């Protein structure tokens, strides 16, 4: 991962960094000196790549706890540690029995669920990277503190960073301008690929690199100009780029992919409301998608730009036993509407209404 990716031409008015400038940055960067030493055969206390810690019979590098499967499956629930955790109102060994809806909810009262944004005080997902902003391009040249420069970013269709130009970095913002009200403590930053990810901003109190692709970051919410969490990718291997950023609290690390919604958000939704209006969740008002193939999926890096995948909207309704009010993008063609209806019909609980 030490070879330079193909250079991208800077935009008009930007100067192309020369070899001497690149050499100065390399010479002054402890991170890049460490990588250069690694390439020369010097090994530190921690491995740099998953291949150095992965047992031959494990694909996850031994970093994740194995979860026993539920042989019979879970119809209206989630398999966790060998047993089914049922959705609201479901029961039985396979969560196959749907009972009465909670009686404390008003059948006439629904709630709009806000769209996902890094500055939103609604923290719907326990993976805060789902609410991260789009990448901004920055310079690694000494003395250049421009927040976002005009250099183009090399991004995949899913919004992942594919490569960096010489002296270029790319960053994304999370937990911004929340008035100091998110939970302090230790968060885990996870990523796939080969590169350097640096947590920044005033909320960052300490950073510990514990394994390849895993950082522990102590966060304390602040309210000043530099509040929040900024993750900057300063180096990425174009053959194995940094991707799939995930950020969650330490206590949610083992379970956040199986239980994606924040427990406090679910508790609020499970109060008086009987239905969810998903217009903002789906970003309908700004959604110009025409074809079903253009829609956002769980493979997208963030849900802030095109909305939350329909699968997760249905999962939220299923989890909370709440009816679903759906809206359709204005430019959607007939095939889009038909595919949307089929997905909802095949995955929404039969005791819920649309």
């Amino acid at each position: 991962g030490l070879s330079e990716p193909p250079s991208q031409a800077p935009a008009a008015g930007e100067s192309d960094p020369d070899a001497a400038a690149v050499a100065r940055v390399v010479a002054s960067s402890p991170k890049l000196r460490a990588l250069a030493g690694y390439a020369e055969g010097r090994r530190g206390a921690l491995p740099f790549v998953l291949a150095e810690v992965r047992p031959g019979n494990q694909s996850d590098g031994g970093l994740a706890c194995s979860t026993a499967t539920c042989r019979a499956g879970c119809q209206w629930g989630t398999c966790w540690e060998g047993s089914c955790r049922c959705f609201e109102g479901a029961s039985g060994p396979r969560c196959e029995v749907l009972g009465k809806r909670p009686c404390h909810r008003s059948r006439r009262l629904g709630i709009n669920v806000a769209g996902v944004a890094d500055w939103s005080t609604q923290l719907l997902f326990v993976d805060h990277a789902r609410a991260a902003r789009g990448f901004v391009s920055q310079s690694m040249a000494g003395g250049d503190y421009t927040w976002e420069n005009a250099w183009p970013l090399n991004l995949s269709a899913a919004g992942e960073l594919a490569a960096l130009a010489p002296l270029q970095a790319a960053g994304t913002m999370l937990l911004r301008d929340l008035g100091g009200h998110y939970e302090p403590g230790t968060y885990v930053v996870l990523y796939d690929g080969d590169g350097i990810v640096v947590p920044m901003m005033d909320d960052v109190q300490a950073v510990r690199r514990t394994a390849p692709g895993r950082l522990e970051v102590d966060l304390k919410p602040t309210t000043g100009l530099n509040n929040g969490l900024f993750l900057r990718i300063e180096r990425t291997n174009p053959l194995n780029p940094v991707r799939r950023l995930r950020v969650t609290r330490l206590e949610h690390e083992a379970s956040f992919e199986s239980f994606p919604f924040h427990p406090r958000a679910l508790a609020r939704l499970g109060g008086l409301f009987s239905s969810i209006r998903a217009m903002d969740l789906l970003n309908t008002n700004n959604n110009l998608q025409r074809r079903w193939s253009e829609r956002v999926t769980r493979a997208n890096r963030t849900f802030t730009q095109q909305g939350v995948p329909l699968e997760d909207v249905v999962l939220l309704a299923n989890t909370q036993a709440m009816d679903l009010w759906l809206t359709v993008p204005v430019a959607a063609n007939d095939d889009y509407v038909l595919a949307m209806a089929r997905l909802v019909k095949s995955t929404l609980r039969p005791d819920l209404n649309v």
Side-chain angles (χ1 to χ4, degrees):
L2 291 176
S3 60
E4 293 290 350
S7 177
Q8 298 175 352
E14 296 282 338
S15 60
D16 189 17
D18 57 23
V22 174
R24 285 195 298 271
V25 171
V26 172
S28 64
S29 169
K31 303 181 188 73
L32 294 186
R33 287 203 305 270
L35 281 175
Y38 178 86
E40 294 170 359
R42 298 194 297 271
R43 297 294 184 266
L46 289 172
F48 263 78
V49 294
L50 278 175
E52 295 179 356
V53 296
R54 176 180 294 143
N57 61 347
Q58 293 189 17
S59 60
D60 61 7
L63 302 178
C65 298
S66 62
T67 302
T69 60
C70 304
R71 293 184 179 180
C74 304
Q75 188 168 1
W76 302 115
T78 300
C79 179
W80 183 250
E81 296 180 341
S83 62
C84 292
R85 304 285 182 90
C86 297
F87 298 152
E88 179 79 35
S91 61
R94 297 181 50 248
C95 304
E96 72 278 12
V97 179
L98 295 176
K100 293 183 178 180
R101 307 273 286 278
C103 59
H104 63 275
R105 296 181 183 172
S106 170
R107 296 289 293 176
R108 299 181 179 180
L109 191 60
I111 185 172
N112 285 294
V113 180
V116 175
D118 67 281
W119 42 260
S120 174
T121 55
Q122 172 191 274
L123 301 178
L124 181 61
F125 292 94
V126 288
D127 178 6
H128 297 291
R130 291 305 197 182
R133 290 186 197 177
F135 281 120
V136 296
S137 172
Q138 296 185 339
S139 173
M140 292 284 289
D144 187 345
Y145 302 110
T146 304
W147 177 255
E148 181 178 7
N149 61 35
W151 295 6
L153 286 165
N154 187 345
L155 302 177
S156 71
E160 297 281 11
L161 187 67
L164 290 168
L167 287 183
Q168 186 182 38
T172 182
M173 179 67 77
L174 302 83
L175 301 171
R176 174 70 172 171
D177 288 337
L178 300 186
H181 294 306
Y182 72 86
E183 297 172 283
T186 300
Y187 286 70
V188 179
V189 176
L190 304 169
Y191 59 91
D192 296 347
D194 177 17
I196 296 174
V197 177
V198 181
M200 306 173 71
M201 302 296 277
D202 287 350
D203 290 15
V204 177
Q205 305 298 303
V207 178
R208 296 175 293 277
R209 181 178 179 272
T210 59
R214 185 183 187 275
L215 304 171
E216 289 186 3
V217 184
D218 294 339
L219 295 179
K220 181 181 179 181
T222 63
T223 58
L225 179 64
N226 292 319
N227 74 80
L229 172 64
F230 187 70
L231 296 178
R232 188 161 88 159
I233 301 175
E234 296 186 348
R235 189 78 174 179
T236 191
N237 181 352
L239 300 180
N240 184 22
V242 171
R243 61 197 181 277
R244 291 191 66 229
L245 284 168
R246 289 96 73 202
V247 180
T248 191
R249 286 181 60 84
L250 182 62
E251 60 266 31
H252 294 148
E253 181 179 9
S255 61
F256 76 94
E257 291 183 321
S258 297
F259 302 96
F261 303 116
H262 200 292
R264 292 188 180 182
L266 295 180
R268 290 287 183 91
L269 288 174
L272 300 175
F273 309 106
S274 62
S275 61
I276 295 171
R277 187 170 185 247
M279 182 185 73
D280 291 332
L281 271 181
L282 296 170
N283 195 27
T284 305
N285 288 341
N286 300 304
N287 192 332
L288 298 179
Q289 296 165 7
R290 174 177 171 79
R291 301 176 180 83
W292 185 245
S293 60
E294 298 169 351
R295 72 187 185 97
V296 65
T297 70
R298 288 168 176 164
N300 285 68
R301 186 186 70 84
T302 175
F303 299 158
T304 60
Q305 296 169 309
Q306 299 184 64
V308 173
L310 182 59
E311 290 89 341
D312 281 333
V313 174
V314 172
L315 178 61
L316 180 61
N318 284 342
T319 301
Q320 292 301 96
M322 299 176 73
D323 294 334
L324 200 51
W325 181 353
L326 294 173
T327 51
V328 180
V330 64
N333 61 21
D334 290 347
D335 289 339
Y336 188 113
V337 177
L338 182 60
M340 185 177 183
R342 284 173 172 166
L343 189 152
V344 174
K345 180 177 177 60
S346 64
T347 57
L348 189 69
R349 292 166 48 158
D351 60 336
L352 302 182
N353 301 308
V354 179

